[in-house]
């Protein structure tokens, strides 16, 4: 008989912001127990309560980079298992595409305890290593730029 261990893991939702400026996208190297020193898009937990995906994207981008979001739209959603981590977790990642309200605005590293700093990268020239949820969609041919 196969015994399936019913581990009471919870599934969390994170919003991931593909912030586009010209041909570039904003990435930062994470300082975190999850994906430490890998390059990630600005992202954060959808907070319990009344927050929409768009509101979460705008809040997390502001909290992490000081940038003000302009137009934003839903791109795709992925399921991400982190089962071989010290603390196993599972995240549904909601990928949003956004542009800046003011394209002249530059990012600041507001939370240096969580990020080494932000930089603009061409999609065909992304830094390595990428944070697993981003690596996975890149391998699947995902491209956040409007065709
Ligand atoms: C899977 C991942 C996007 C998890 C949540 O992202 P995060 O660690 O950047 O979360 P916070 O910005 O809310 O701390
Ligand atoms: Mg955050
Ligand atoms: Mg957060
Ligand atoms: Mg974050």
């Amino acid at each position: 008989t196969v015994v399936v261990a019913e581990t009471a893991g919870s599934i969390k939702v994170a919003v991931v912001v593909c912030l586009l400026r010209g041909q570039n996208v904003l990435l930062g190297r994470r300082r975190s127990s999850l994906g430490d020193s890998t390059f990630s898009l600005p992202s954060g937990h959808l907070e319990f309560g009344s927050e929409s995906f768009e509101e979460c994207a705008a809040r997390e981008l502001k909290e992490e980079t000081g940038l003000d979001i302009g137009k934003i739209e839903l791109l795709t959603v992925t399921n991400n298992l982190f089962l071989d981590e010290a603390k196993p977790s599972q995240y549904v990642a909601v990928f949003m595409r956004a542009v800046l309200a003011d394209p002249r605005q530059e990012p600041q590293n507001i939370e240096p305890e969580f990020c080494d700093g932000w930089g603009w990268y061409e999609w065909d020239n992304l830094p390595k290593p990428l944070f697993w949820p981003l690596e996975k969609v890149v391998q699947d041919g995902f491209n956040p730029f409007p065709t």
Side-chain angles (χ1 to χ4, degrees), residues 33 82-89:
S33 53
F82 297 94
L83 301 184
D84 49 8
E85 302 281 333
K87 208 157 72 57
S89 64

Side-chain angles (χ1 to χ4, degrees), residues 8-14 45 78-81 89-93:
S10 66
I11 299 178
K12 297 187 178 120
V13 179
H45 292 80
T78 65
N79 186 24
N80 303 273
L81 295 173
S89 64
Q90 180 171 352
Y91 279 91
V92 169

Side-chain angles (χ1 to χ4, degrees), residues 2-147:
V2 175
V3 178
V4 177
E6 290 300 324
T7 50
S10 66
I11 299 178
K12 297 187 178 120
V13 179
V15 172
V16 181
V17 186
C18 303
L19 183 69
L20 308 183
R21 189 174 75 173
Q23 290 308 310
N24 293 330
V25 64
L26 189 69
L27 290 170
R29 197 199 283 267
R30 287 173 65 87
R31 287 179 181 162
S32 160
S33 53
L34 193 57
D36 191 46
S37 83
T38 63
F39 287 90
S40 166
L41 299 160
S43 62
H45 292 80
L46 186 69
E47 301 298 350
F48 182 79
S50 60
E51 187 169 62
S52 70
F53 294 151
E54 291 77 7
E55 286 163 344
C56 177
R59 177 183 55 74
E60 285 289 345
L61 189 72
K62 188 73 180 171
E63 281 178 7
E64 300 186 354
T65 70
L67 293 171
D68 298 304
I69 224 164
K71 186 170 170 296
I72 181 160
E73 58 193 310
L74 175 66
L75 282 184
T76 189
V77 181
T78 65
N79 186 24
N80 303 273
L81 295 173
F82 297 94
L83 301 184
D84 49 8
E85 302 281 333
K87 208 157 72 57
S89 64
Q90 180 171 352
Y91 279 91
V92 169
V94 178
F95 285 76
M96 311 289 287
R97 165 169 55 212
V99 292
L100 288 169
D102 172 0
R104 292 162 304 177
Q105 222 187 354
E106 284 298 341
Q108 304 154 279
N109 192 14
I110 308 278
E111 299 178 329
E113 68 278 24
F114 295 127
C115 178
D116 274 347
W118 301 103
W120 296 101
Y121 298 88
E122 287 181 352
W123 193 255
D124 303 339
N125 230 336
L126 294 177
K128 298 276 179 210
L130 294 180
F131 184 30
W132 171 237
L134 180 54
E135 177 64 33
K136 208 160 64 136
V137 287
V138 167
Q139 285 173 7
D140 294 346
F142 170 75
N143 185 319
F145 287 84
T147 42

